[in-house]
Amino acid sequence: MDPLLERLRAGLPAEALITDPDVTASYAHDMASFCDAGAPAVVVLPRTVEEVQHVMRTATALRVPVVPQGARTGLSGAANASDGCIVLSLVKMDRILEISPVDRIAVVEPGVVNATLSRAVNEHGLYYPPDPSSWEMCTIGGNIGTASGGLCCVKYGVTAEYVLGLEVVLADGRLLNTGRRTAKGVAGYDLTRLFVGSEGSLGIVVKAVLALRPQPPQQLVLAAEFPSAAAACDAVCRIMERGHTPSLLELMDRTTVRAVNAMASMGLPETTEALLLCAFDTPDPAADLAAVGELCTAAGATEVVPADDAAESELLLQARRLSLPALETVKSATMIDDVCVPRSQLGAMIEGTAAIAEKFGLTIGVCAHAGDGNTHPVVCFDHTDADESRRARESFDEIMALGLELGGTITGEHGVGVLKKEWLARELGEVGVELQRGIKAAFDPLGLLNPGKLF
C-alpha cells in the first residue's frame, strides 16, 4: 500500500479520502486561466480540526506538499494542485458555531458559504458585509485566504477588517490561536492579519471569529448613464470629494452592459458608454440619491434614474453581479484582471485599458468597484487560437503595468496565486520579497503549504 494513503487512512474515515484520478482531477484548479495545475495524489475532505492536524502531521512526516482549498471560485490559481500533493478541501467543515448579538461576532468553520452566513446573521438583526460576487458559492475560508472584497467595500471594507481571530493548523500539525473575540485588543504582533490574504501558504484556517455589524436599512440604488467612462469616473470623484458614503458605487462599461443584456435580457441601456450604480443604506436613501444624482448630472450624465423600491434596486444589483458571467459568454475564455488604483486615477485606468484593447485587437470589458478604485478588466479571447491567446496574456500584463504606473496595486481582492507571481515581486521590490519569504519560512520551514504560489 502507498505509505501516504496508509498513514492518512490511519486517522481519517474512509469517506474523507478521494483517490479516483477522474475525481481528483476535478479538484486540480480554480477558475483562473493561464495557470498550470498538477495532478494531486489524493483529495482529503476533513470534518474536524483533529483530522486536519492528522493530515498535516502526515504531510510533514512524508514531506508531501499540501494545497488547501475552499470552493475553488478563486481567479488567480491560488488553489491549483501541484503534482503528487494532498489537496485539503475544507468544504465539509461548514458549521456556524456561534452567533452572538451582544458581542456582535460569529464563529464559523472555513467551509461555511458566504451567503449562508449572511442570511444566518440577518435573522439576528446583524450584518456580515464582505460580499464577493461569488457569495452564493465561495466559502469564508477562501475569502480569508484571498482577503476578498465585494460590492460593498466602498463603505464597509474588505474581509480583513472583519476577521478578529483565527484557529490555524500549522504545517507541523500544531494548533495556533490568534487574535481575539473582544471589540479591542492589541496584544503582540497581529498574526491574524498576517494569515488573511496568505492564500494557505502559512497555515490551515479551521475556525474564524468574525466581526458583525447591525443590519442597515434596505438600500436603494441609482443608475446613471454617461457618454464616456471619463465622465462616469469624474462623477465618482465628485461623489467621494463631497463626503458621501455610498454602500455601493459600481461601474460597468459599454462592453459589459451589452454582454449582460445579451445573456439575461436585463434591459440595460446599450447606448451608454458607462453605467454607474450608486446605493445608500442610510435612514433616508432617497435624499442621498438625489444629491448624488445632481453630481452625476453635473459630471455629464445623460440620464439619472433612482430606483423606486428595494425590488428595482435588487434588479440593478443583479445586473452588476452578472457582469463577469456575462463577459465569459463573449468568447470561449476570459482572463479576469483585478487592478486597484487611487480613485483619482480611475479614469486614466479605464481609458488606458481601452487603448490596450485596441492595441491588441481584443474585446476587454471593464466592471469596477468604482468607489474604491478596484477595476476588473476582463480580457475575452478564443483559447483555441494560439495568437489570440498570446495577445490576451500580453494585454493582461500591460493592464497590470498600467495599474502600477498609476500608483495602484496588482490585486485588490483576488490574490496573487500563480497568475501574478512575477508581478508581486515587481510591486514589493527585492527587500519586500526577501522579508515575506522569511515569514513564510518561519511558519512553514519545509515549504509544504501551497508551494509555488505567491513567490
Side-chain angles (χ1 to χ4, degrees), residues 3 22 25 27 71 102 109 116 127 147 160 176 286 347 370 400 405 412 416 428 433:
D22 291 334
Y27 287 83
V102 173
E109 292 182 327
T116 300
Y127 177 43
L176 169 70
M400 284 191 287
E405 288 169 12
V416 175
L428 294 180
V433 170

Side-chain angles (χ1 to χ4, degrees), residues 81-414:
S82 54
D83 284 331
C85 77
I86 299 169
V87 163
L88 187 59
S89 174
L90 299 158
V91 294
K92 299 292 187 183
M93 297 181 69
D94 60 356
R95 295 180 298 161
I96 298 174
L97 302 172
E98 179 186 354
I99 296 173
S100 172
V102 173
D103 293 327
R104 293 184 182 172
I105 61 169
V107 182
V108 305
E109 292 182 327
V112 173
V113 171
N114 184 294
T116 300
L117 174 63
S118 294
R119 292 179 182 122
V121 302
N122 288 166
E123 293 178 5
H124 295 267
L126 297 169
Y127 177 43
Y128 180 67
D131 64 340
S133 292
S134 58
W135 76 308
E136 292 282 5
M137 299 178 288
C138 64
T139 62
I140 296 299
N143 294 167
I144 292 170
T146 57
S148 59
L151 303 186
C152 69
C153 293
V154 61
K155 180 174 182 178
Y156 292 104
V158 296
T159 295
E161 295 168 62
Y162 294 89
V163 182
L164 297 177
L166 295 170
E167 195 169 280
V168 182
V169 175
L170 298 176
D172 59 8
R174 289 179 297 164
L175 193 62
L176 169 70
N177 283 284
T178 75
R180 63 193 195 278
R181 299 172 49 102
T182 55
K184 296 166 61 180
V186 293
Y189 294 131
D190 191 349
L191 297 183
T192 302
R193 278 285 184 123
L194 188 59
F195 280 103
V196 179
S198 66
E199 301 184 15
S201 65
L202 302 180
I204 312 296
V205 172
V206 290
K207 187 186 297 183
V209 181
L210 304 174
L212 304 175
R213 288 175 173 257
Q215 190 170 6
Q218 179 68 52
Q219 65 181 358
L220 284 180
V221 179
L222 170 147
E225 301 175 43
F226 289 88
S228 68
C233 294
D234 180 32
V236 170
C237 292
R238 292 173 187 240
I239 291 166
M240 302 309 293
E241 184 180 26
R242 291 293 181 90
H244 292 288
T245 310
S247 55
L248 173 147
L249 190 54
E250 298 287 308
L251 184 147
M252 300 162 65
D253 74 351
R254 176 181 59 181
T255 300
T256 306
V257 168
R258 290 180 175 179
V260 170
N261 275 343
M263 186 180 79
S265 301
M266 297 292 291
L268 299 176
E270 295 201 0
T271 55
T272 186
E273 290 296 316
L275 185 67
L276 192 66
L277 302 178
C278 181
F280 285 91
D281 58 5
T282 52
D284 188 6
D288 290 310
L289 290 182
V292 163
E294 292 179 2
L295 294 176
C296 288
T297 299
T302 54
E303 182 140 12
V304 176
V305 182
D308 292 327
D309 53 32
E312 190 176 348
S313 294
E314 184 54 38
L315 189 64
L316 290 169
L317 295 186
Q318 182 62 15
R320 171 59 184 89
R321 291 187 188 277
L322 287 174
S323 293
L324 296 183
L327 287 167
E328 289 171 354
T329 68
V330 173
K331 286 289 187 87
S332 64
T334 56
M335 291 191 73
I336 303 171
D337 218 324
D338 167 40
V339 176
C340 193
V341 296
R343 294 186 192 100
S344 58
Q345 297 297 322
L346 183 61
M349 183 69 207
I350 293 177
E351 288 186 341
T353 299
I356 291 169
E358 184 175 355
K359 172 183 175 180
F360 288 96
L362 295 167
T363 297
I364 303 180
V366 179
C367 52
H369 308 308
D372 47 30
N374 195 174
T375 67
H376 293 306
V378 181
V379 183
C380 306
F381 65 100
D382 181 355
H383 75 284
T384 65
D385 183 325
D387 181 66
E388 194 163 308
S389 296
R390 174 191 59 78
R391 285 183 280 126
R393 181 68 216 218
E394 290 178 5
S395 71
F396 186 88
D397 287 343
E398 287 210 10
I399 289 168
M400 284 191 287
L402 173 64
L404 291 180
E405 288 169 12
L406 295 174
T409 174
I410 60 168
T411 175
E413 58 187 9
H414 290 172

